[in-house]
Structures are given as C-alpha cells and as structure tokens.
C-alpha cells in the first residue's frame, strides 16, 4: 500500500493508481500494462479503477497528461519572449527524460482520430493547445504583438514533438533557436495566422 | 485467395499480406489486428508471416511505410522550391486521407525509443529523413542554397505531422505556406543548420 494522501479516498486512489502506472511504465511498454497490473501495484481494487477510467488506456493517458503538464507548466515571466523561452525549454527538457518520453508516447498513441469523441483522445493533446492559447492571450492583453496558436504549434511545439519521435530530442539550445526564429518571423510579419 | 502477382512466391505473399493488413486497418485499430487475422484475410499461412516479420507490429509498420512512400514519393522537378512544394503537398495530402492517417499512426506508434535497435522502430521514420536528405543533396548538387535536413524536418515535416496528430490535418494551402516560410527563412539566412 502506498501511504495515504490528503484529499480523501478518491484522490488517494488516483494518486496511488498514477504512481503505480508510472512505475510500470518505467519497466515496460504501455501496451504490456493491464488494469490489473496497475491495481496490483497500487494496492487498490481493479473494479474501482475500471469504474473511474473505463479502460487502462484512459488511465494511462490521464496520468501521462497530468505528469507532462506538471513537468512543463505555463510560465508567467511577464513577456511573450520570456514565456515562450521558458515553456519551450521545459517542454523540450521533459521529452529528453526517459519518463517524459514514455508519457509523450502515450499522448501520441491516444491523439485524436476519426473517433475523436473518445475522451482519452480528446484529453491527450488539448492541454498543450490550451497552454499556448493562454500564453498568447496574456501577450495580447499586455499589448504585445503575438503569433497565432497554430504558429506556436507549427514552429515550436511540432519540431520539439517530432524530434522526440525521431529519437533525437531537442535540447535547450534547439528549443531556444526555435523560439528565436518564431519571434523573428512574427517580427518580420512572416506569420499570417490570426491571433486566438 | 488474392490473384497471384508477378515476382514469385515471396513477393506474392507480401502483396497479399499488405493488402489484407491495409483492409483490416480500414476496419479497426492496429492494436486489434493479430497476425492470424492478416493470415486469414490474405489466405496465407500465419507461420510464413511470422517467419518473415516476426510480429504483427513489424508487418504493419513495413506495410505502412511502403504505402506512405508510394503516396508521396520523392519528386524531381528540377528546383528545390518545386521539389519542396510538391513533396510537402503530397505528404500533407496523404495524411488527410483516412487510410494515410491510419498508416501514419502506425509509424508514430513505432517511432524510435530507447530500444531503437528494434527494426520496426528504425524503419518507421527513416525513409522520410532519407527523402529530405536526397532532396537537399540534389539542390546542393545544382548549386542551389538549401536548408539543412533538420530545417526541413522542423519547419515542413513536423508541422504537417503534428497537425495530423492534433486531428487538424494540413491542407495544400497550409503545406504551401510552410514551404514559403521555410524558403524565406533560408533566403534570409535565418537557418543555421548545416547542410547534409
């Protein structure tokens, strides 16, 4: 049994399940993890995990999203450049770690498809888009010229994601260069995407 | 039994297996496809599929890579701009189709990880990088200034891939704009990556 945590029974079960899932993920592929494995490791009843998450994929996705968002929260440095730089570095950094890369693979595996109504697929990539949206909205509220959500997705998030997929994760200098070029394009008026 | 194809028994078995795998993929998730399903649909012995591919994941990956490369072969228009534009459009277009998007998800699912020695993971994304390398090499041989392999990966391939992952596949106008900006950055000397 993991030690009890504040927040009542539900929060405790979730924390135990996520801890167990993350530990299992450090040992094997997500495809080789069953709900009963997580239940056994967490010391909770599999039925309560099924009741809450429906299937192991949804549990793994929610855990991966939560951990990745904890790894790279939305910064608030007071400037768009500062926010983009800090955010880009932390996103890149989290994908360089074995754990972060495993979490990322779960997100990718559950990314939207035709049957996008499935909760796991929706929750997988939405939070990152929300972070970008919030970061840009703040910049616009400060009166700063800002790129559009898809510009940040195309020129900062996408290269970091795809480099991770190609097995050559972006380090901080790569992340910085991506931010520099994104800001240079915005400054040069090369970006035509509308702000959010 | 599918109709025999030229190229002998091995080529015939492969063609039948790939056809069956593609057909099954149109019906269900890759995770729900077993080697025996493919063997049954193809009318070949599962043992011969196991002998050749080892596991169903490797078969699906090789099929997906082959189909995607057929969808968007390396163009040879005689100019870097023409090649990039044609290539970007066809890569984007293939990810807009239900079939292409399913093939892409298999590539992503088998993208390199720590255990990158596993063949399926190597073959998954390598061919695209090779296409980019060849495309740039040709441009350099013509004496054209060209971006580096990672520039094309970061600013053309990555946005197209990640938009597909986010469920908002890039259309041709998006692909064209990505090419325009990549060429503008190269022209403005904003790209610092070394050529291949």
């Amino acid at each position: 049994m993991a030690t009890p945590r504040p927040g009542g029974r539900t929060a405790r079960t979730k924390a135990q399940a996520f801890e167990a899932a993350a530990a299992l993920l450090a040992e094997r592929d997500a495809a080789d993890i069953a709900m009963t494995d997580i239940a056994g490791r967490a010391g909770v009843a599999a039925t309560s995990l099924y009741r809450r998450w429906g299937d192991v994929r949804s549990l793994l996705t929610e855990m991966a999203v939560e951990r990745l968002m904890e790894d790279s929260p939305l910064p608030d440095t007071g400037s768009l450049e500062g926010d983009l730089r800090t955010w880009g570095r932390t996103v890149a950094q989290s994908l360089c770690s074995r754990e972060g890369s495993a979490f990322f693979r779960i997100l990718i595996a559950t990314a939207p498809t035709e049957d996008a109504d499935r909760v796991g697929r929706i929750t997988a990539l939405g939070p990152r888009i929300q972070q970008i949206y919030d970061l840009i909205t703040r910049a616009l509220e400060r009166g700063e010229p800002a790129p559009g959500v898809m510009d940040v997705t195309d020129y900062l998030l996408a290269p970091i994601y795809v480099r991770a997929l190609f097995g050559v994760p972006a380090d901080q200098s790569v992340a910085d260069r991506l931010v520099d070029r994104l800001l240079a394009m915005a400054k040069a008026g090369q970006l035509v995407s509308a702000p959010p």
Side-chain angles (χ1 to χ4, degrees), chain A:
Chain A
M1 281 295 280
T3 42
R5 263 162 214 65
R9 200 171 189 303
T10 317
R12 206 158 57 240
T13 303
K14 179 185 164 189
Q16 289 165 342
F18 281 13
E19 259 180 33
L24 286 163
L25 206 59
E27 299 168 8
R28 53 179 106 151
D29 284 355
D32 303 327
I33 298 176
M35 198 69 113
T36 47
D37 299 328
I38 297 173
R41 179 77 63 108
V44 301
T47 50
S48 62
L49 300 186
Y50 278 114
R51 201 177 312 117
R52 174 154 185 180
W53 285 282
D55 56 36
V56 66
R57 165 66 62 195
S58 302
L59 188 159
L60 288 174
T61 302
E62 192 182 318
M63 180 275 294
V65 170
E66 186 174 289
R67 295 292 169 100
L68 284 171
M69 292 302 138
E70 286 168 3
D71 270 7
S72 47
L74 188 67
D76 192 1
T77 66
S79 78
L80 176 65
E81 174 170 1
D83 286 355
L84 283 174
R85 202 168 296 282
T86 305
W87 186 76
R89 285 182 171 195
T90 55
V91 171
Q93 192 165 28
S94 79
L95 295 189
C96 287
S97 72
R98 201 206 168 298
E99 197 182 40
S101 138
F103 294 157
F104 173 65
R105 307 192 64 74
I106 290 178
L107 250 66
I108 293 303
T110 55
T113 57
E114 274 71 24
D115 54 348
D117 52 331
R118 282 173 58 182
V119 177
R121 299 187 184 279
I122 300 285
T123 53
L125 295 164
R128 281 278 179 245
I129 291 290
Q130 184 62 49
Q131 283 189 322
I132 296 172
Y133 180 89
D134 294 344
L135 190 146
I136 290 169
T137 303
R138 270 205 227 119
L140 293 170
E141 284 168 357
R142 282 189 301 257
E144 290 185 271
V149 168
M150 286 315 292
D151 293 325
V152 178
T153 306
D154 287 341
Y155 295 117
L156 181 54
L157 190 62
I160 291 172
Y161 274 8
V162 168
R163 280 172 179 254
L165 287 174
F166 277 103
V168 287
D171 58 21
Q172 297 216 337
S173 69
V174 169
D176 284 346
R177 201 170 64 223
L178 291 168
V179 169
D180 293 339
R181 292 179 185 170
L182 174 62
L183 292 169
M185 282 192 284
K187 203 169 179 180
Q190 287 166 295
L191 303 180
V192 300
S193 315

